[in-house]
Amino acid sequence: MNSVHNNLLLQIMFLYMFIQSNLSLPTKQTVILALKTQQISSGSLPKAPNKLSFHHNVSLTVSVAVGTPPQTVTMVLDTGSELSWLHCKKTPNTPSAFDPLHSSSYSSIPCSSPTCTTRTRDFTVPVSCDPKKLCHAILSYADASSAEGNLASDTFRIGNSGLPGTVFGCMDMFSSSNTEEDSKTTGLIGMNRGSLSFVTQMGFPKFSYCISGRDSSGVLLFGDASLPWLRPLNYTPMIQISTPLPYFDRVAYTVQLEGIKVSGKLLSLPKSVFVPDHTGAGQTMVDSGTQFTFLLGPVYTALKNEFMRQTRGVLRVLNDPNFVFQGAMDLCYLVELSRTSLPPLPTVSLVFRGAEMGVSAERLMYRVPGMVRGGDGVHCFTFGNSDLLGIEAYVIGHHHQQNVWMEFDLAKSRVGLAEVRCDLASQRLGVAE
Protein backbone atom coordinates (compact mmCIF):
# COMPACT_ATOMS: atom_id res chain seq x y z
CA MET A 1 0.00 0.00 0.00
CA ASN A 2 1.52 3.35 -0.95
CA SER A 3 0.90 5.98 1.68
CA VAL A 4 -0.11 9.62 1.45
CA HIS A 5 2.11 12.28 -0.18
CA ASN A 6 4.46 14.58 1.67
CA ASN A 7 7.34 16.75 0.59
CA LEU A 8 10.11 14.65 2.10
CA LEU A 9 12.07 12.58 -0.38
CA LEU A 10 14.21 9.71 0.77
CA GLN A 11 16.42 7.47 -1.25
CA ILE A 12 17.34 3.95 -0.36
CA MET A 13 20.00 2.16 -2.36
CA PHE A 14 20.80 -1.50 -2.07
CA LEU A 15 24.24 -3.03 -2.69
CA TYR A 16 24.18 -6.75 -3.47
CA MET A 17 26.11 -9.36 -1.55
CA PHE A 18 25.83 -13.12 -1.52
CA ILE A 19 26.44 -15.09 1.66
CA GLN A 20 27.30 -18.78 1.33
CA SER A 21 28.27 -19.71 4.89
CA ASN A 22 25.96 -20.91 7.66
CA LEU A 23 23.09 -18.96 6.10
CA SER A 24 22.44 -21.48 3.33
CA LEU A 25 19.15 -23.29 2.81
CA PRO A 26 18.71 -26.85 1.54
CA THR A 27 17.40 -25.69 -1.83
CA LYS A 28 18.13 -21.96 -1.92
CA GLN A 29 20.97 -19.81 -0.70
CA THR A 30 20.18 -16.83 1.45
CA VAL A 31 20.51 -13.47 -0.28
CA ILE A 32 21.52 -10.45 1.78
CA LEU A 33 21.17 -6.90 0.47
CA ALA A 34 22.67 -3.86 2.16
CA LEU A 35 20.31 -0.97 2.75
CA LYS A 36 21.29 2.66 2.74
CA THR A 37 18.95 5.58 3.25
CA GLN A 38 19.75 9.07 2.15
CA GLN A 39 17.51 12.06 2.64
CA ILE A 40 17.62 14.36 -0.37
CA SER A 41 15.97 17.59 -1.36
CA SER A 42 13.83 17.80 -4.45
CA GLY A 43 16.33 20.22 -5.99
CA SER A 44 19.26 17.81 -5.82
CA LEU A 45 17.81 14.60 -7.18
CA PRO A 46 20.41 12.29 -8.69
CA LYS A 47 19.84 11.36 -12.32
CA ALA A 48 21.58 7.97 -12.38
CA PRO A 49 19.21 5.20 -13.49
CA ASN A 50 20.05 2.98 -10.51
CA LYS A 51 18.90 5.57 -7.98
CA LEU A 52 15.33 6.31 -7.05
CA SER A 53 13.48 9.30 -5.70
CA PHE A 54 9.99 8.60 -4.46
CA HIS A 55 7.45 11.01 -3.07
CA HIS A 56 4.97 8.68 -1.41
CA ASN A 57 6.42 9.45 2.01
CA VAL A 58 9.63 7.73 2.92
CA SER A 59 9.90 4.54 0.90
CA LEU A 60 12.09 1.46 0.97
CA THR A 61 13.58 0.57 -2.38
CA VAL A 62 15.58 -2.31 -3.79
CA SER A 63 17.73 -2.40 -6.92
CA VAL A 64 17.46 -5.54 -9.05
CA ALA A 65 18.57 -6.58 -12.51
CA VAL A 66 15.84 -7.40 -15.03
CA GLY A 67 16.00 -8.76 -18.56
CA THR A 68 18.63 -10.14 -20.92
CA PRO A 69 21.06 -8.43 -20.98
CA PRO A 70 20.30 -7.17 -17.44
CA GLN A 71 18.92 -3.69 -16.89
CA THR A 72 19.20 -2.22 -13.39
CA VAL A 73 15.89 -1.03 -12.00
CA THR A 74 14.98 0.32 -8.57
CA MET A 75 11.70 -0.79 -7.04
CA VAL A 76 9.76 0.23 -3.94
CA LEU A 77 9.63 -2.66 -1.45
CA ASP A 78 5.94 -3.10 -0.59
CA THR A 79 4.66 -5.88 1.68
CA GLY A 80 1.15 -4.52 1.14
CA SER A 81 1.00 -5.22 -2.60
CA GLU A 82 1.05 -8.34 -4.74
CA LEU A 83 1.89 -7.55 -8.35
CA SER A 84 5.33 -6.08 -9.05
CA TRP A 85 5.51 -3.53 -11.85
CA LEU A 86 7.98 -1.41 -13.74
CA HIS A 87 7.78 1.80 -15.69
CA CYS A 88 8.24 0.58 -19.25
CA LYS A 89 9.66 2.74 -22.01
CA LYS A 90 7.13 3.86 -24.59
CA THR A 91 9.38 6.45 -26.17
CA PRO A 92 13.18 6.70 -26.49
CA ASN A 93 15.26 8.32 -23.73
CA THR A 94 12.63 7.79 -21.03
CA PRO A 95 14.43 8.20 -17.68
CA SER A 96 14.37 5.52 -14.98
CA ALA A 97 12.42 2.99 -17.00
CA PHE A 98 12.72 -0.58 -18.19
CA ASP A 99 13.02 -1.12 -21.94
CA PRO A 100 11.36 -4.42 -22.92
CA LEU A 101 12.52 -4.04 -26.55
CA HIS A 102 16.10 -4.51 -25.38
CA SER A 103 15.45 -7.73 -23.45
CA SER A 104 15.53 -11.02 -25.35
CA SER A 105 13.88 -12.81 -22.40
CA TYR A 106 10.88 -10.44 -22.21
CA SER A 107 7.50 -11.93 -23.04
CA SER A 108 4.04 -10.33 -23.10
CA ILE A 109 1.24 -12.32 -21.49
CA PRO A 110 -1.79 -12.88 -23.76
CA CYS A 111 -5.24 -12.41 -22.31
CA SER A 112 -5.93 -16.11 -23.04
CA SER A 113 -3.26 -17.10 -20.46
CA PRO A 114 -4.42 -18.42 -17.05
CA THR A 115 -2.04 -15.86 -15.50
CA CYS A 116 -4.23 -13.11 -16.88
CA THR A 117 -7.22 -14.38 -14.92
CA THR A 118 -5.32 -14.83 -11.63
CA ARG A 119 -7.30 -13.00 -8.99
CA THR A 120 -5.54 -10.30 -7.01
CA ARG A 121 -6.93 -7.45 -4.94
CA ASP A 122 -4.36 -5.21 -6.64
CA PHE A 123 -6.61 -5.12 -9.69
CA THR A 124 -9.31 -2.68 -8.63
CA VAL A 125 -10.48 -2.85 -12.24
CA PRO A 126 -10.73 -6.37 -13.76
CA VAL A 127 -8.05 -7.26 -16.30
CA SER A 128 -9.03 -6.99 -19.94
CA CYS A 129 -7.76 -7.58 -23.48
CA ASP A 130 -6.08 -4.78 -25.36
CA PRO A 131 -6.30 -4.48 -29.19
CA LYS A 132 -3.25 -6.78 -29.48
CA LYS A 133 -4.98 -9.49 -27.38
CA LEU A 134 -2.54 -8.86 -24.55
CA CYS A 135 -3.44 -8.91 -20.85
CA HIS A 136 -4.18 -5.33 -19.76
CA ALA A 137 -4.21 -4.30 -16.08
CA ILE A 138 -4.90 -1.19 -14.00
CA LEU A 139 -3.50 -0.80 -10.47
CA SER A 140 -4.76 1.80 -7.99
CA TYR A 141 -3.29 2.84 -4.64
CA ALA A 142 -4.48 4.54 -1.49
CA ASP A 143 -2.81 7.85 -2.37
CA ALA A 144 -4.97 8.05 -5.52
CA SER A 145 -2.09 7.20 -7.86
CA SER A 146 -2.55 4.50 -10.47
CA ALA A 147 -0.55 2.56 -13.06
CA GLU A 148 -1.79 0.98 -16.28
CA GLY A 149 -0.20 -1.39 -18.77
CA ASN A 150 0.30 -5.03 -19.74
CA LEU A 151 1.21 -8.13 -17.78
CA ALA A 152 4.51 -9.62 -18.89
CA SER A 153 7.30 -11.91 -17.77
CA ASP A 154 11.07 -11.65 -17.76
CA THR A 155 14.13 -12.78 -15.81
CA PHE A 156 14.67 -11.04 -12.46
CA ARG A 157 18.04 -11.39 -10.74
CA ILE A 158 18.63 -11.02 -7.00
CA GLY A 159 22.27 -11.45 -6.02
CA ASN A 160 23.49 -14.51 -7.91
CA SER A 161 20.00 -15.96 -8.30
CA GLY A 162 18.08 -15.59 -11.53
CA LEU A 163 14.35 -16.23 -11.78
CA PRO A 164 13.23 -16.65 -15.41
CA GLY A 165 9.61 -16.05 -16.29
CA THR A 166 8.83 -13.72 -13.38
CA VAL A 167 5.40 -12.15 -13.88
CA PHE A 168 5.15 -8.37 -13.48
CA GLY A 169 3.30 -5.38 -14.85
CA CYS A 170 4.94 -3.47 -17.70
CA MET A 171 3.26 -0.12 -17.13
CA ASP A 172 3.35 2.83 -19.52
CA MET A 173 0.48 5.01 -18.27
CA PHE A 174 0.36 6.72 -14.89
CA SER A 175 -1.88 9.04 -12.94
CA SER A 176 -0.59 10.92 -9.92
CA SER A 177 -0.74 14.29 -8.20
CA ASN A 178 3.03 14.52 -8.61
CA THR A 179 3.80 13.45 -12.18
CA GLU A 180 7.27 15.03 -12.19
CA GLU A 181 8.48 12.92 -9.27
CA ASP A 182 6.66 9.78 -10.45
CA SER A 183 8.48 10.03 -13.78
CA LYS A 184 11.72 9.36 -11.92
CA THR A 185 10.52 6.23 -10.14
CA THR A 186 11.13 2.82 -11.64
CA GLY A 187 8.47 0.60 -10.14
CA LEU A 188 7.23 -1.41 -7.22
CA ILE A 189 8.10 -4.89 -5.94
CA GLY A 190 5.06 -6.64 -4.44
CA MET A 191 5.94 -8.75 -1.40
CA ASN A 192 2.65 -9.97 0.08
CA ARG A 193 1.49 -13.60 0.17
CA GLY A 194 -0.36 -13.59 -3.15
CA SER A 195 0.51 -16.05 -5.91
CA LEU A 196 1.89 -13.30 -8.16
CA SER A 197 3.99 -11.59 -5.48
CA PHE A 198 7.75 -11.49 -5.93
CA VAL A 199 8.57 -13.47 -2.78
CA THR A 200 6.06 -16.18 -3.76
CA GLN A 201 7.46 -16.44 -7.28
CA MET A 202 11.02 -16.57 -5.89
CA GLY A 203 10.05 -19.49 -3.67
CA PHE A 204 11.82 -18.35 -0.51
CA PRO A 205 10.01 -19.54 2.65
CA LYS A 206 10.83 -16.34 4.52
CA PHE A 207 12.41 -12.91 4.27
CA SER A 208 13.53 -10.30 6.78
CA TYR A 209 14.50 -6.66 6.91
CA CYS A 210 15.93 -4.30 9.49
CA ILE A 211 15.61 -0.52 9.06
CA SER A 212 17.98 1.74 10.98
CA GLY A 213 16.84 5.09 12.24
CA ARG A 214 20.33 5.99 13.45
CA ASP A 215 22.88 6.14 10.65
CA SER A 216 20.84 5.45 7.52
CA SER A 217 21.89 1.86 7.13
CA GLY A 218 19.98 -1.41 7.16
CA VAL A 219 19.62 -4.81 5.60
CA LEU A 220 17.16 -6.89 3.59
CA LEU A 221 17.52 -10.66 3.63
CA PHE A 222 15.81 -13.28 1.47
CA GLY A 223 15.90 -16.74 3.05
CA ASP A 224 16.72 -18.03 6.52
CA ALA A 225 18.35 -15.71 9.07
CA SER A 226 20.25 -18.21 11.23
CA LEU A 227 22.25 -15.53 12.98
CA PRO A 228 23.72 -16.44 16.39
CA TRP A 229 23.83 -12.82 17.55
CA LEU A 230 20.19 -12.10 16.71
CA ARG A 231 17.97 -12.00 19.77
CA PRO A 232 15.29 -14.68 19.96
CA LEU A 233 12.35 -13.46 17.90
CA ASN A 234 8.94 -13.10 19.44
CA TYR A 235 6.43 -14.47 16.96
CA THR A 236 2.87 -13.42 16.36
CA PRO A 237 0.73 -15.64 14.12
CA MET A 238 -0.67 -14.39 10.84
CA ILE A 239 -4.45 -14.27 10.85
CA GLN A 240 -5.99 -16.21 8.01
CA ILE A 241 -9.61 -16.73 7.03
CA SER A 242 -11.05 -19.22 4.59
CA THR A 243 -14.19 -17.31 3.64
CA PRO A 244 -13.74 -14.29 1.33
CA LEU A 245 -14.90 -11.06 2.97
CA PRO A 246 -15.25 -7.74 1.13
CA TYR A 247 -12.89 -5.71 3.37
CA PHE A 248 -10.38 -8.40 4.38
CA ASP A 249 -7.17 -8.72 2.38
CA ARG A 250 -6.40 -12.44 2.60
CA VAL A 251 -2.87 -12.14 1.19
CA ALA A 252 -1.72 -9.29 3.46
CA TYR A 253 0.54 -9.89 6.46
CA THR A 254 -2.31 -9.73 8.93
CA VAL A 255 -1.60 -10.06 12.66
CA GLN A 256 -3.83 -9.61 15.69
CA LEU A 257 -3.47 -6.32 17.54
CA GLU A 258 -4.80 -6.89 21.07
CA GLY A 259 -4.12 -3.60 22.82
CA ILE A 260 -2.01 -0.44 23.12
CA LYS A 261 -0.03 0.75 26.14
CA VAL A 262 1.24 4.23 26.93
CA SER A 263 4.10 4.10 29.47
CA GLY A 264 2.91 0.63 30.43
CA LYS A 265 -0.70 1.73 30.94
CA LEU A 266 -3.09 -0.30 28.80
CA LEU A 267 -5.73 1.78 27.07
CA SER A 268 -9.19 1.00 28.38
CA LEU A 269 -10.67 -0.49 25.23
CA PRO A 270 -12.67 -3.67 24.63
CA LYS A 271 -10.67 -6.30 22.72
CA SER A 272 -13.51 -6.48 20.23
CA VAL A 273 -12.41 -3.15 18.69
CA PHE A 274 -9.26 -4.86 17.41
CA VAL A 275 -11.04 -7.86 15.87
CA PRO A 276 -12.21 -7.70 12.23
CA ASP A 277 -15.99 -7.50 11.93
CA HIS A 278 -18.29 -9.64 9.77
CA THR A 279 -17.25 -7.72 6.65
CA GLY A 280 -13.53 -8.15 7.34
CA ALA A 281 -13.04 -4.49 8.23
CA GLY A 282 -10.59 -3.91 11.07
CA GLN A 283 -7.73 -6.25 10.20
CA THR A 284 -4.18 -5.30 11.29
CA MET A 285 -1.65 -5.29 8.43
CA VAL A 286 2.14 -4.98 8.58
CA ASP A 287 2.93 -2.81 5.56
CA SER A 288 6.39 -1.68 4.41
CA GLY A 289 4.74 0.48 1.73
CA THR A 290 3.23 2.83 4.32
CA GLN A 291 5.38 5.16 6.37
CA PHE A 292 3.35 5.74 9.53
CA THR A 293 0.88 3.71 11.58
CA PHE A 294 -2.87 4.22 11.21
CA LEU A 295 -5.52 3.14 13.71
CA LEU A 296 -9.30 2.96 13.45
CA GLY A 297 -11.04 6.04 14.84
CA PRO A 298 -12.04 4.92 18.38
CA VAL A 299 -8.59 3.43 19.09
CA TYR A 300 -6.77 6.42 17.61
CA THR A 301 -8.85 8.82 19.74
CA ALA A 302 -8.14 6.84 22.92
CA LEU A 303 -4.39 6.79 22.18
CA LYS A 304 -4.35 10.46 21.28
CA ASN A 305 -6.12 11.48 24.48
CA GLU A 306 -3.85 9.37 26.73
CA PHE A 307 -0.68 10.58 25.00
CA MET A 308 -1.84 14.19 25.39
CA ARG A 309 -2.60 13.56 29.06
CA GLN A 310 0.84 12.09 29.72
CA THR A 311 2.68 14.86 27.84
CA ARG A 312 0.74 17.78 29.30
CA GLY A 313 3.28 20.38 30.41
CA VAL A 314 6.00 18.62 28.40
CA LEU A 315 4.88 19.39 24.85
CA ARG A 316 2.93 22.35 23.44
CA VAL A 317 -0.02 21.32 21.30
CA LEU A 318 -0.48 23.05 17.93
CA ASN A 319 -4.03 24.32 18.23
CA ASP A 320 -4.86 24.67 14.56
CA PRO A 321 -8.01 22.77 13.51
CA ASN A 322 -7.23 23.51 9.86
CA PHE A 323 -3.94 21.61 9.93
CA VAL A 324 -4.10 17.82 9.62
CA PHE A 325 -0.79 16.33 8.54
CA GLN A 326 -1.21 13.99 5.56
CA GLY A 327 -4.97 14.17 6.04
CA ALA A 328 -5.01 11.77 8.98
CA MET A 329 -2.64 13.03 11.69
CA ASP A 330 -4.26 15.80 13.71
CA LEU A 331 -2.09 15.75 16.85
CA CYS A 332 0.85 18.07 16.26
CA TYR A 333 3.12 20.07 18.55
CA LEU A 334 5.23 23.21 18.52
CA VAL A 335 8.88 22.58 19.35
CA GLU A 336 11.47 25.35 19.61
CA LEU A 337 13.80 25.41 16.64
CA SER A 338 16.66 25.91 19.07
CA ARG A 339 16.10 22.48 20.63
CA THR A 340 18.51 19.79 19.51
CA SER A 341 16.37 16.94 20.85
CA LEU A 342 12.83 16.25 22.00
CA PRO A 343 11.99 16.08 25.71
CA PRO A 344 11.49 12.61 27.24
CA LEU A 345 8.32 11.05 25.89
CA PRO A 346 6.18 8.11 27.05
CA THR A 347 6.67 4.86 25.16
CA VAL A 348 3.74 3.60 23.08
CA SER A 349 3.61 -0.21 22.87
CA LEU A 350 1.59 -2.10 20.28
CA VAL A 351 0.51 -5.36 21.89
CA PHE A 352 0.13 -8.24 19.45
CA ARG A 353 -0.74 -11.83 20.16
CA GLY A 354 2.59 -13.19 21.40
CA ALA A 355 4.70 -10.10 20.77
CA GLU A 356 4.99 -6.36 21.43
CA MET A 357 6.42 -3.48 19.41
CA GLY A 358 7.63 -0.52 21.44
CA VAL A 359 7.63 2.94 19.84
CA SER A 360 9.66 5.52 21.70
CA ALA A 361 11.61 8.76 21.51
CA GLU A 362 12.07 10.22 18.01
CA ARG A 363 9.93 7.53 16.37
CA LEU A 364 6.89 9.05 18.12
CA MET A 365 7.34 12.42 16.44
CA TYR A 366 7.87 13.52 12.85
CA ARG A 367 9.16 16.97 12.01
CA VAL A 368 7.02 18.40 9.22
CA PRO A 369 9.52 19.55 6.57
CA GLY A 370 9.60 23.29 5.95
CA MET A 371 6.84 24.16 8.41
CA VAL A 372 7.77 26.90 10.88
CA ARG A 373 5.46 28.79 13.21
CA GLY A 374 7.35 31.75 14.64
CA GLY A 375 10.40 30.30 16.34
CA ASP A 376 8.95 26.82 16.41
CA GLY A 377 8.99 23.81 14.17
CA VAL A 378 5.94 21.57 13.84
CA HIS A 379 6.23 17.94 14.96
CA CYS A 380 3.34 15.53 14.50
CA PHE A 381 2.45 12.38 16.41
CA THR A 382 3.32 9.43 14.15
CA PHE A 383 0.01 7.63 14.60
CA GLY A 384 -2.89 8.62 12.37
CA ASN A 385 -6.63 8.09 12.10
CA SER A 386 -7.33 5.56 9.33
CA ASP A 387 -10.99 6.64 9.30
CA LEU A 388 -9.89 9.98 7.84
CA LEU A 389 -8.14 8.11 5.01
CA GLY A 390 -11.11 5.89 4.30
CA ILE A 391 -9.09 2.78 5.20
CA GLU A 392 -11.05 0.12 7.09
CA ALA A 393 -7.96 -1.35 8.74
CA TYR A 394 -5.09 -0.92 11.18
CA VAL A 395 -1.82 -0.40 9.26
CA ILE A 396 1.60 -0.77 10.91
CA GLY A 397 3.97 1.39 8.86
CA HIS A 398 7.72 1.06 8.50
CA HIS A 399 8.52 4.17 10.56
CA HIS A 400 7.57 2.18 13.65
CA GLN A 401 9.52 -0.84 12.42
CA GLN A 402 12.85 0.99 12.72
CA ASN A 403 15.41 -0.91 14.81
CA VAL A 404 13.19 -3.98 14.83
CA TRP A 405 14.26 -7.14 13.04
CA MET A 406 11.16 -8.00 11.01
CA GLU A 407 10.88 -11.59 9.81
CA PHE A 408 8.06 -12.72 7.54
CA ASP A 409 7.85 -16.51 7.84
CA LEU A 410 5.57 -17.70 5.06
CA ALA A 411 6.20 -21.38 5.74
CA LYS A 412 4.97 -21.17 9.34
CA SER A 413 2.54 -18.29 8.76
CA ARG A 414 3.94 -15.94 11.38
CA VAL A 415 5.73 -12.62 11.80
CA GLY A 416 8.78 -12.42 14.07
CA LEU A 417 9.98 -9.30 15.89
CA ALA A 418 13.10 -8.52 17.89
CA GLU A 419 14.49 -5.16 18.96
CA VAL A 420 17.95 -4.75 17.48
CA ARG A 421 20.33 -2.00 16.45
CA CYS A 422 19.89 -2.27 12.70
CA ASP A 423 23.06 -0.34 11.95
CA LEU A 424 25.04 -2.89 13.98
CA ALA A 425 23.17 -5.76 12.30
CA SER A 426 24.30 -4.43 8.93
CA GLN A 427 27.89 -4.23 10.16
CA ARG A 428 27.80 -7.79 11.48
CA LEU A 429 26.53 -9.03 8.15
CA GLY A 430 29.30 -7.14 6.40
CA VAL A 431 27.02 -4.89 4.38
CA ALA A 432 27.41 -1.54 6.14
CA GLU A 433 29.61 1.14 4.64
Side-chain angles (χ1 to χ4, degrees):
M1 173 189 297
N2 289 340
S3 49
V4 191
H5 294 229
N6 69 20
N7 294 324
L8 176 67
L9 295 173
L10 183 143
Q11 179 180 55
I12 297 181
M13 296 167 286
F14 288 83
L15 172 67
Y16 291 129
M17 286 192 66
F18 206 75
I19 306 300
Q20 301 182 18
S21 57
N22 62 340
L23 298 176
S24 61
L25 294 173
T27 56
K28 281 186 177 288
Q29 292 169 308
T30 298
V31 181
I32 295 178
L33 299 88
L35 169 71
K36 186 179 181 201
T37 65
Q38 177 185 348
Q39 184 173 321
I40 56 178
S41 67
S42 58
S44 61
L45 291 171
K47 304 301 183 184
N50 63 339
K51 298 179 181 180
L52 177 76
S53 63
F54 196 79
H55 73 275
H56 301 285
N57 292 321
V58 175
S59 296
L60 312 176
T61 68
V62 58
S63 294
V64 300
V66 182
T68 308
Q71 300 176 41
T72 299
V73 296
T74 311
M75 307 172 77
V76 175
L77 183 73
D78 191 353
T79 61
S81 294
E82 179 173 352
L83 184 71
S84 302
W85 58 267
L86 293 171
H87 285 260
C88 282
K89 286 188 177 180
K90 201 171 185 181
T91 57
N93 302 318
T94 303
S96 299
F98 174 70
D99 188 350
L101 297 178
H102 283 77
S103 173
S104 61
S105 50
Y106 176 87
S107 178
S108 298
I109 293 177
C111 50
S112 58
S113 168
T115 302
C116 189
T117 57
T118 300
R119 294 195 174 187
T120 165
R121 289 177 66 97
D122 285 7
F123 299 145
T124 50
V125 178
V127 293
S128 60
C129 276
D130 70 6
K132 296 181 180 179
K133 303 295 183 183
L134 299 178
C135 190
H136 186 79
I138 299 175
L139 302 176
S140 299
Y141 296 99
D143 64 356
S145 62
S146 64
E148 185 174 350
N150 295 109
L151 291 193
S153 66
D154 209 330
T155 298
F156 279 63
R157 295 174 176 86
I158 293 284
N160 293 341
S161 299
L163 185 65
T166 302
V167 176
F168 69 104
C170 193
M171 305 308 202
D172 55 20
M173 294 181 64
F174 303 90
S175 174
S176 170
S177 61
N178 197 328
T179 305
E180 179 183 353
E181 297 302 337
D182 275 342
S183 68
K184 299 165 186 169
T185 65
T186 313
L188 178 145
I189 186 164
M191 293 288 288
N192 72 12
R193 296 186 295 158
S195 61
L196 292 180
S197 82
F198 188 74
V199 69
T200 300
Q201 293 189 69
M202 282 182 67
F204 280 115
K206 64 177 67 171
F207 68 94
S208 310
Y209 56 73
C210 197
I211 308 162
S212 174
R214 183 181 177 86
D215 68 350
S216 300
S217 67
V219 63
L220 168 69
L221 185 149
F222 286 101
D224 195 19
S226 300
L227 307 172
W229 48 263
L230 184 62
R231 292 182 186 179
L233 298 176
N234 291 318
Y235 288 98
T236 183
M238 292 185 205
I239 305 302
Q240 301 183 82
I241 63 170
S242 56
T243 305
L245 296 175
Y247 293 106
F248 193 96
D249 187 345
R250 291 196 292 169
V251 292
Y253 295 106
T254 301
V255 295
Q256 185 57 64
L257 184 63
E258 294 191 329
I260 298 178
K261 298 176 183 176
V262 183
S263 290
K265 178 184 177 182
L266 190 67
L267 297 181
S268 181
L269 292 165
K271 285 197 174 184
S272 59
V273 301
F274 299 105
V275 178
D277 64 19
H278 66 283
T279 69
Q283 73 185 112
T284 301
M285 298 181 286
V286 182
D287 184 7
S288 70
T290 297
Q291 183 179 9
F292 300 115
T293 293
F294 298 95
L295 309 171
L296 291 183
V299 176
Y300 170 76
T301 300
L303 172 59
K304 171 185 172 181
N305 290 340
E306 181 60 28
F307 189 81
M308 289 178 66
R309 189 188 70 79
Q310 293 196 25
T311 56
R312 190 170 295 126
V314 177
L315 292 172
R316 290 180 294 139
V317 176
L318 170 67
N319 291 309
D320 183 353
N322 295 319
F323 181 76
V324 180
F325 182 53
Q326 295 192 357
M329 303 159 79
D330 61 1
L331 178 55
C332 298
Y333 296 92
L334 296 172
V335 178
E336 296 93 339
L337 293 171
S338 58
R339 286 195 71 109
T340 57
S341 62
L342 293 170
L345 299 174
T347 296
V348 175
S349 297
L350 302 173
V351 182
F352 303 106
R353 185 175 298 165
E356 286 193 20
M357 178 184 288
V359 181
S360 59
E362 63 275 3
R363 287 189 293 160
L364 286 167
M365 291 290 162
Y366 181 77
R367 168 77 185 276
V368 180
M371 179 159 287
V372 176
R373 299 288 180 95
D376 300 315
V378 176
H379 295 244
C380 291
F381 191 44
T382 52
F383 291 84
N385 186 344
S386 60
D387 289 5
L388 296 179
L389 294 179
I391 301 172
E392 297 287 337
Y394 299 94
V395 182
I396 311 300
H398 66 72
H399 182 79
H400 292 162
Q401 299 171 37
Q402 290 178 2
N403 287 321
V404 179
W405 188 275
M406 300 292 302
E407 179 184 276
F408 298 81
D409 188 339
L410 287 77
K412 295 184 179 179
S413 192
R414 61 185 185 174
V415 176
L417 301 85
E419 289 190 8
V420 65
R421 280 274 303 275
C422 293
D423 56 334
L424 297 182
S426 297
Q427 292 174 16
R428 291 193 178 211
L429 289 168
V431 293
E433 287 193 349

